[in-house]
Amino acid sequence: MAGGFLPYHEPGIVDILILISFFFILSLAEWASAKIIRAGIIGQIAVGIIYGKPLADILELDWQETFLSLGYVGLILIIFEGGLSARLDLLRANLVLSMLGAATGVCFPIGLSYLLLYLGFGYGAVETFIIGAALSATSLGTTFAVISSASSTVDLAQTRVGAVLVSAAVIDDVVGLVMASVIENLGQLKGGGVNLGWLIGRPIVASIAMAIVTPLVTKYLFAPGFRRFIEHDFARFDHISNIVLMTLSLSAFITIAAYAGTSVLFGAFLAGTFLTYLPSKHPTGPFVVLSREEGEKLAHKSPTFVHTFERYLVDVQKYLMEPLFFASIGFAIPFVQLWTGRRIWRGIVFTLLMVVAKFVVGVWVPIWGRGPARKQEPRSAAVESGGLEHGSPARPENGQAKDPATTLWLSAFLLGSAMVARGEIGLLIIEIGYNETSYVSEEGFITGVWAILLNTIIGPAAVGLLVKYCGKRIGEGEWGLQRSGVAVAPA
C-alpha cells in the first residue's frame, strides 16, 4: 500500500547467474543467427523458448512477465524509430500501391486458410477465420528490425520498395488489431451483450480518423506553430529539448490510440512521422544539418530527432529492449505441444501455404512497375521527408541498375519475403481466439502456431540473404534508393 516500502535485500547468487546467462546467451544467439542466416531475431526467439515456460522454464514467472512488458516497450520504440526515419514523400507517393499490397496480404491468408483448413482438414468456419486472421497480420516489430539490420548494405527506409513495405505492414497491423478486437468479443456476441457494428466499426473509424487527422493538424496547426515559435529555441538546448518533446509526443499518441480503440503500435508510428514533419526543411532551419556533430556544436543549429534517438535510445533499444521483445515471443510459443507427427505435417503444409499467401504481395511490384505512368520519381525536395538529415544517399546517375527487369523482380522478392513474418500480432490474435473463445480447438491452435513460428523464421532469413547478395542491386534500381534533398533558398 502507499506509504510502505520494499525491503532491500541482496539477490541470491543463483538468480544473479541466471540473469547474467540469459542476457549473455541472448546476445550470443543474436550474433550467431545473424552470422549464419542473417536474421538475428531468430536466435533471440530460440533463447526465449529455452529460458521461458515453453521449455526449461529457467526464468521466474515474474521475470518473464516483466520482460514481456519491457519487450513491448521495445517494440513501441522500434516502430517509433521507424516513423522517425520514414520518408514521408515516398510513403505518400506509394500509398495506393501499399493499400493494394496490404489488401492482398490480408485476403490471401484468410482465403487460402479456408481452402486448406476448412475444406481440407475439416476445421470449423469460425475457427478457420480466426486462424486465417492471425496469419493475415504482418509483424511490425520484425519488419522494422529487418529494415534496421539491412542498413549496412542498403538503407531500406530510403528505398521505394521499403516505403511500400512499411505502409503495407502498418495497414496489415491495424487490420489485424481490428480483427483481434472482434475475436476477443465473439463470446459476448453470442450472448447479445455487444453491438456488432460498434465493435467492428470503432477500431476502423479510430484508425482512419487518426491517419487522416494527424497529417492535417500537423501540417496546418502544429508544424507552422513549431517552426515559428519553438524550433529556434530548441537549438539552445539541443538533445534535451528534443528528448522531452519526443517523450511527450510518443506518450500522447499511444494514449490516444489506446483509448480510441486502435493499435498502440499505429500510434507509435504516427508519433514518429509527426515529429519528422514538424521542423522546417529550409536550409537555414535549425534542424537542417549535415551531421549530429554540426547540430551539437553550432549555437543556431539543433540535432534532429533521429540524432537524439541515436544518442539516447538506440543502444538501450538495440541491446536490451529489442532482444527482450523477441525473447518474449519465444515465451508465448507452446513448444512442447508442437511435436506430434500429425501436428508437424499439418503445421508444415499450412506454413508453406501461408508463405505463399504473403509472398504474393511482391507481385504488385512488377505489375505496378510496368505501368507507363508509374515510373515517376518522387518529389526530390525534402518538403516533408527530412531526407538529408537521415543521411540518405542519392540514387546513381543512371537512376537504374544494369538489368532493370532482374532488379524489378529482386525488389518484388524482397517485398514478398519481408511481409512473411507474423510474429507478435499473429500470436496475439490466435491466443485470443484459443484462450477467450470456444471456437479454436487445440489442434487448430497448434497448426496456427506452427505457421506463425516458421513464417517468422523464414521471412527474416530470406530477406537477410537477399539483402546480403543482392542489396546493392536493389538499391540502385528503380525501386531502390530515391533522391532526397533540402529545398534551396530563394535568391
Side-chain angles (χ1 to χ4, degrees), residues 164-177:
V164 175
L165 167 62
V166 168
S167 298
V170 169
I171 295 170
D172 274 3
D173 173 69
V174 172
V175 173
L177 268 296

Side-chain angles (χ1 to χ4, degrees), residues 67 71 97 103-104 159 194 207 245 317 456 472:
F67 291 160
L97 175 57
T104 303
T159 63
V194 175
S207 301
L245 182 58
Q317 175 202 311
T456 305
K472 291 183 179 179

Side-chain angles (χ1 to χ4, degrees), residues 82-103:
L84 285 176
S85 305
R87 284 278 302 276
L88 300 184
D89 57 337
L90 290 180
L91 293 179
R92 186 178 62 183
N94 296 282
L95 182 59
V96 175
L97 175 57
S98 301
M99 293 177 69
L100 291 172

Side-chain angles (χ1 to χ4, degrees), residues 270-312:
L270 288 178
T273 58
F274 166 78
L275 291 170
T276 298
Y277 189 90
L278 278 185
S280 169
K281 307 306 182 292
H282 193 278
T284 61
F287 283 85
V288 180
V289 292
L290 293 173
S291 66
R292 190 174 88 187
E293 290 73 18
E294 180 184 343
E296 292 170 341
K297 290 178 180 178
L298 299 182
H300 65 288
K301 291 290 187 177
S302 174
T304 66
F305 294 112
V306 172
H307 292 154
T308 299
F309 192 95
E310 289 172 352
R311 175 161 180 177
Y312 285 95

